[in-house]
Amino acid sequence: MNKLNHAKRVQIINLLVEGNSMRATARIADVAFNTVAKLFIDTARMCADYQDRTFRKLTCKKLQLDEIWSFVYAKQKNVPDEKRGQAGDIWTWVAIDADSKLVPSWRIGSRDARTACEFVDDLASRLAHRVQITSDGYRPYLQAVEGAFGSNVDFAQLVKLYGDTVEGQKRYSPPVCTGAVKSVVMGNPDACCISTSYVERQNLTMRMSIRRFTRLTNAFSKKIENHALSVALHYMHYNFCRVHKTLRVTPAMAAGVSDHVWTIDEIVALVEQAEAQSK
């Protein structure tokens, strides 16, 4: 059986993290679709495991939380009965450090209280000390943050106010934001730092960088497992490889997690090392 060489693997992963679909990547790299799929799964699993082990005892000070919508297999209203519970609307919960722009934790699931608690519990387990947290006004965050941190957190919510949606723009354009109210929930958060701007911008980065999140295409995930893996691969590249234009280093470097800018070669090397050890 033919085996991809290192250079071809690097090319394929580079194409995927830059927003190409699986089939487009297969055409550009001149390999079979199943070859791309297998390499994607192996690499993304390694990325998820590496970040899970590495993001511990983080010294983040100000975190912003939000969630972004997508779907798997079909939109919720079109999911057939035999696919209930395995397809439909899916939400990616994201936390970002406002200073280093590191994304230390994310969660794939429903937009409900259970997933909110799982997401915030995971985030809390990665932090070294007390932090300030800002979320939007979604109510499950109240229970989730209190359950994970107790009183050892400075927590505020930014509740945005929206005007009426213009008729004819409901489907593609969000309503106009007419204002925002800062609400202190617990602790003593710095009012100047109560914001969700960075995490909302990160959501845009995710939608632009992961082909599966692009609206009005057929590139959406067909399986929830692959959807989660695509997010893990994206954040490995974002945290360790992409130099932030403002910081001039990667988020992982700014957070003290890494001492250099990673390359795609290093990500692929993780997979190859695992393959060598399994033989």
Side-chain angles (χ1 to χ4, degrees):
M1 182 177 69
N2 293 331
K3 182 178 180 180
L4 290 176
N5 60 39
H6 179 80
K8 182 63 72 172
R9 290 184 177 196
V10 170
Q11 180 190 18
I12 291 171
I13 297 303
N14 198 25
L15 288 168
L16 291 175
V17 297
E18 290 297 341
N20 289 280
S21 68
M22 302 271 280
R23 295 195 181 278
T25 297
R27 290 194 297 270
I28 295 170
D30 193 24
V31 297
F33 173 83
N34 288 342
T35 301
V36 174
K38 183 179 186 306
L39 179 61
F40 157 70
I41 291 172
D42 292 344
T43 305
R45 283 175 177 168
M46 188 59 61
C47 291
D49 180 66
Y50 183 84
Q51 291 176 97
D52 181 54
R53 290 184 284 107
T54 303
F55 293 156
R56 299 291 174 180
K57 297 183 180 180
L58 299 173
T59 57
C60 307
K61 296 179 180 178
K62 298 185 292 289
L63 294 166
Q64 299 178 8
L65 314 184
D66 200 12
E67 59 283 344
I68 179 174
W69 171 85
S70 188
F71 66 92
V72 171
Y73 187 80
K75 292 183 179 179
Q76 195 66 41
K77 63 180 180 180
N78 299 325
V79 176
D81 292 340
E82 64 272 15
K83 288 285 186 177
R84 295 289 176 183
Q86 307 172 40
D89 293 351
I90 195 77
W91 293 81
T92 304
W93 301 67
V94 180
I96 191 171
D97 176 14
D99 295 321
S100 68
K101 308 305 183 290
L102 182 80
V103 175
S105 179
W106 62 89
R107 193 80 177 183
I108 312 298
S110 302
R111 194 170 187 254
D112 56 20
R114 177 180 178 179
T115 308
C117 289
E118 292 172 348
F119 166 57
V120 180
D121 284 346
D122 178 74
L123 175 62
S125 71
R126 302 181 185 278
L127 303 175
H129 53 64
R130 186 184 182 101
V131 296
Q132 174 169 329
I133 291 178
T134 304
S135 74
D136 58 22
Y138 191 43
R139 291 187 62 84
Y141 280 120
L142 301 176
Q143 176 187 349
V145 172
E146 183 178 6
F149 292 92
S151 60
N152 189 34
V153 66
D154 300 311
F155 177 38
Q157 289 190 313
L158 186 69
V159 182
K160 292 187 175 181
L161 309 174
Y162 295 96
D164 294 334
T165 302
V166 178
E167 189 65 31
Q169 295 184 351
K170 292 180 179 179
R171 185 173 182 181
Y172 304 116
S173 300
V176 177
C177 181
T178 59
V181 176
K182 297 179 179 180
S183 174
V184 175
V185 179
M186 64 179 68
N188 186 31
D190 183 349
C192 295
C193 299
I194 299 176
S195 171
T196 56
S197 297
Y198 291 127
V199 71
E200 289 171 358
R201 180 60 181 82
Q202 171 53 218
N203 284 346
L204 175 61
T205 299
M206 182 188 285
R207 200 171 285 286
M208 296 294 291
S209 301
I210 305 177
R211 184 62 171 165
R212 297 165 188 268
F213 281 74
T214 306
R215 298 179 185 273
L216 302 179
T217 73
N218 62 355
F220 53 86
S221 297
K222 311 309 184 289
K223 297 179 180 179
I224 191 169
E225 294 83 3
N226 289 349
H227 188 83
L229 290 174
S230 71
V231 176
L233 178 61
H234 164 73
Y235 278 128
M236 186 71 187
H237 180 254
Y238 167 82
N239 283 324
F240 289 89
C241 300
R242 286 182 59 171
V243 174
H244 194 279
K245 289 185 177 180
T246 302
L247 300 174
R248 298 187 178 181
V249 293
T250 65
M253 293 172 67
V257 175
S258 176
D259 59 2
H260 68 285
V261 179
W262 279 50
T263 63
I264 301 297
D265 293 74
E266 290 177 88
I267 294 178
V268 172
L270 291 176
V271 180
E272 294 173 341
Q273 290 171 10
E275 290 176 347
Q277 293 171 0
S278 64
K279 290 181 180 180

